[in-house]
Every structure is written in structure tokens, then in C-alpha cells.
Amino acid sequence: MLSKEQLRSLRRSIDEVDRQIVRLLKRRIGLARRIGEVKRLLEMPVRDLDRERAVLEGVGKMAEAVGLRKEGARAIFREIIAACRGVQEATRVAFLGPKGTFTEMAARSFFPPAGTEFIPCPTIRSVFRRVQTGDTPYGVVPVENTLEGSVTATLDQFLASDLMVYGEVELHVEQCLILAPGTSLEDVKVILSHPQALAQSRNYLEERLASAELREVSSTAEAVRLLSKVPHAAAIGTELAARLYGMRVVARGIQDSPRSYTRFFVLSEHDHPRTGRDKTSIIFSVEHVPGALYRALEVFAERGINLTKIESRPVKRRRWEYVFFLDFEGHRHDEVCHEALEALRRRAILVKVLGSYPTWGSA
């Protein structure tokens, strides 16, 4: 008769087999990723149905040879093949463009450039639309800056959208002075950039280029692109944009404040699983009566949950009424956070969870 110790021993043996299977899966996926790179170089399609059929046929024969059901083995390998095919396909990520913006830099900080296709979009709304329609599984948009405050276009889209926050990126905003090849600082008569970049670099410009005309354009990346068309011009933009358009950086960190950071959200149809170092973003609204906001926030204080941000936005359909955007530490599936959200729903007239995601820099 088997004892409990024998049962535990058998389970330990299964655990060891599982570890071997996982290691082999990792090796197979790594090989598939390398095959994907070769396919891209040869401009071959990712999916090869003849190869998949041959693999499944071979798996069936191997299974029967060792006494396993071939259909069961094939079902398992169909999932393995799908996982391997997934690493060969480029992940499509929409971002607020054009190319060379800080948002693209944020997207490249979150997603590995190898195997990722970055798709510029003209507006924040169009980034949301790309993800909502399934054209791209992810999107990246700015949400707030330490000096300029929140990006209201992003917050307003969340009110109308069912998309969730999958991740966040915090990026140090380093403005660069950029020139076209062959242009010197002494030649500069016009400085091109986005209005915010011009304002953030006011001290540098007044000290070194006081006589130059300041000309506003739609983005810092567009300013860099225009250097090839506007004579005697300089641009304020990103080092990435300078590389993309073949320009040269002559000064880095020209912004007035070294403490300028922009936070970005990674959009998806779902949020991120728990990591133990998470943050949650929500929207809520309360009745327009004394003490309503106090009672809403009390559910977090009572449970020792730290709030990292709270901000109000007007409800556009009603005068002088507001919704609140709030971030707190923890994941919505953590027991204490779940309890707080349930308590908030009993005290608020609207609670919308935007998502839980790893805190940037916590890994």
C-alpha cells in the first residue's frame, strides 16, 4: 500500500519532469525565434503549413511508438507550435507619432526593438482606435509630465474607451539642439520645435541663440525632419529623431529643468498579471455633496493603501461636476485592493478600473 511519503516522492519526480519540459520548451522557443530572424532576412512568410503538418505527423508517430495517444500528443504540440510561431511574428505597437518622438522612445524602452514593429499615429485618439479595432495589440501614449501636468487628451479617451493599462514607462525628457550636416551654430537664424520644447529650453536659447527666430511646428520630430528643407535652421528634438533623419546633435540636455519626466501608458485590451510590485489606475465619480470625496478616499486610508496620484477632470456633459483619476500601489487582484475597490463601489456613483500594471523601474 502506497504511503503519503511515496505520494510526495512521486509528485517530486513529476515536478522534476516538468522542470525539464519547461527548459526544453525554452530551448525550442529560442530556436524558433532564431528561425524567425532568418525568415525575415530571406523575406519568407512566418507560417509554413507544410512544415507544421510534417511536425504534427512526426509527433503522432513518435507518440504511438512509445504507447501514447497520437491525437493527445498532437493537441499539445499544436499549442507549442502556436507559441513558437508567436515569437516569430513581429509585435505591432502603435504610438503617438511621428517617428522620432519621445513617445516612440518610450515604446522602444518597453518593447524590445528586435521583433517589434512600431507604428506612428497622428493623434492620441488614433492610437486608441488602432488598439480597439485589433489592428495592433498594444499602443503607447503620454499621460503626464512632471512640469506640464497631465495630458488631458489621453485622460479623456479613457472615459470613452474600454482599453486597459498594461504597463507604464517613465522617460527623462532630454531636449537636444540639432543641426543639419554642414550647418554651424553661427549660421542659425531659425529654431524649429514644438511649443513645449521651445518653452522648456528658454534659458539656453536666450543665452546662446537670442537673435534667432522661434518657429513652432507640430512636434519635435517634425522640427528635425524640416532641417533638410529650412535653411539656416536648428531644431530642438530627440537624439532618436536626429539619427532617423541623418542630422547631428550639437548639445544635449538644453532644457531649463533637469527634473522633467514624462509618464506614458501602454494600452491593451487587458491589464498585466500580478508581479508583487504593481500599481493600479482607476476613474471614479461621487455625488456632488459635502464629504463625498472624503468618504471615497477613506476606503484606501483604512486599509493602508498608498495613493500615488489623484486628479479631477470636468464631466463635459454637466457643468461643475467632475470625475477623479486615481493611482494607488498594489494590484486590483490583491485581497486588500480588491476589498477597497468593492468598498469604493458602494460609496461612488462610478468606478472604472483602468488596469493594474508593474511599477516602472521595479523589475
Side-chain angles (χ1 to χ4, degrees), residues 1 27 183 272 338 361:
M1 183 175 180
R27 183 182 173 191
T183 302
H272 200 284
H338 176 75

Side-chain angles (χ1 to χ4, degrees), residues 54-68 70 73 77:
V55 169
L56 292 173
E57 182 68 23
V59 165
K61 291 179 180 179
M62 286 187 287
E64 286 185 320
V66 297
L68 296 176
K70 66 178 182 181
F77 267 79

Side-chain angles (χ1 to χ4, degrees), residues 30-50:
L31 291 169
R33 182 177 287 109
R34 290 170 60 186
I35 290 171
E37 293 169 358
V38 173
K39 285 179 178 178
R40 282 193 289 276
L41 288 173
L42 298 177
E43 297 183 350
M44 294 173 60
V46 167
R47 191 162 196 182
D48 185 339
L49 290 175
D50 290 338

Side-chain angles (χ1 to χ4, degrees), residues 272-292:
H272 200 284
R274 279 186 288 188
T275 68
R277 303 171 304 278
D278 303 299
K279 187 185 294 183
T280 299
S281 296
I282 67 171
I283 302 172
F284 72 95
S285 180
V286 293
E287 291 185 51
H288 193 42
V289 296

